[in-house]
Amino acid sequence: MKHPILTFGLILFASLSIQAQRKSDLIEEIAQLKMQLDSVNAEVFDARKNEKVAVTKAESYGNQVTELQSANNTLMKNLNNFAEVSNKNSSMVSTAMANLATKEDQLKTIKAAIATNDSITIAVLTNVKQTMGENAKIGVAEGAVVVSSDLSSLYGSDTGTTLTPEAEAWTEKIANILNANPSTAVTIEGLSMTGDIETPAKQAMAIATILQNKFTVAPERIAALGRDGNLKEGIQVNIHPDFNKFYLMVREQMKN
């Protein structure tokens, strides 16, 4: 009777020992699994944390890329605008240089015409001195050679308007000078110191008429007028370059 009880006790003890061991193993396994789970959770937490940092950095880099693209677009636009302005400025400079060259050519033409007129005046002065003689009243004023005479020798009196024979010979010399210098013109001035302009105008016109009708000087080269002589009276014949042609040339040059 004692042996079966002892055997049963041993079996029960062994069974309890095995169960205790299994329970201990299970507890230890659970503890290990819990540690592994905690480790995995920590790794997941770190991964999520890193993911957030990465997302934040990615968004930051994306914003930077967008800003750089915008800045690049603005820069390219500014460069295009600068190139366009530069081209316009270059075109304006080229136009200005062309205009300056044109103006320089115009000035050269005008200076050349003035130099030619001065040369004509010098040539006429020499011609007048040779033609009119040593006793002639000759001067130069405002680019013109001036030949003067008193009224008595030309009209017989201060109020006469008909030329004397002496006056016709004197006028013929004037005509010879004009015909020898076809690029010149003549302005005949009757001077008065009494305020009477009509008589001096008729006196000047008498010389203009004989120059045209008898000595074949072209009418477009002749001008005649009476004016206040400012305490002087007589006739002044001004032989000068054709100022009308010079004026028309300058006006035409300045149009361009």
Side-chain angles (χ1 to χ4, degrees), residues 130-204:
Q130 293 172 347
T131 303
M132 301 304 294
E134 296 181 356
N135 296 325
K137 297 178 181 179
I138 302 169
V140 177
E142 298 180 354
V145 178
V146 182
V147 183
S148 303
S149 180
D150 62 90
L151 297 174
S152 296
S153 61
L154 295 179
Y155 306 100
S157 68
D158 293 345
T159 58
T161 57
T162 302
L163 293 173
T164 64
E166 181 183 353
E168 289 194 15
W170 183 84
T171 303
E172 184 177 8
K173 293 179 180 180
I174 299 294
N176 291 337
I177 295 168
L178 292 172
N179 291 331
N181 299 275
S183 61
T184 60
V186 61
T187 301
I188 306 160
E189 298 178 331
L191 305 181
S192 172
M193 59 181 183
T194 64
D196 174 20
I197 302 300
E198 183 178 356
T199 299
K202 289 180 179 179
Q203 292 169 340

Side-chain angles (χ1 to χ4, degrees), residues 15-49:
S15 177
L16 291 173
S17 296
I18 292 171
Q19 290 179 358
Q21 186 178 0
R22 286 180 179 177
K23 183 178 181 181
S24 176
D25 291 341
L26 288 173
I27 292 172
E28 184 179 354
E29 187 177 351
I30 290 170
Q32 289 179 356
L33 290 173
K34 184 177 180 181
M35 289 177 60
Q36 291 177 3
L37 179 61
D38 291 341
S39 177
V40 170
N41 288 334
E43 290 178 1
V44 170
F45 177 79
D46 290 339
R48 289 178 177 175
K49 181 179 178 182

Side-chain angles (χ1 to χ4, degrees), residues 45-109:
F45 177 79
D46 290 339
R48 289 178 177 175
K49 181 179 178 182
N50 292 334
E51 180 185 8
K52 290 182 179 179
V53 172
V55 169
T56 301
K57 288 183 177 180
E59 291 177 352
S60 176
Y61 291 150
N63 291 335
Q64 291 180 21
V65 169
T66 301
E67 291 176 358
L68 288 174
Q69 289 177 339
S70 178
N72 183 65
N73 292 336
T74 301
L75 178 61
M76 292 301 298
K77 183 177 180 181
N78 290 339
L79 285 174
N80 291 334
N81 291 339
F82 176 78
E84 185 176 345
V85 171
S86 179
N87 290 335
K88 287 182 180 179
N89 289 340
S90 178
S91 177
M92 291 173 63
V93 169
S94 298
T95 301
M97 293 298 293
N99 290 338
L100 286 175
T102 300
K103 294 300 180 184
E104 186 175 352
D105 290 340
Q106 291 172 344
L107 288 175
K108 286 181 180 179
T109 301

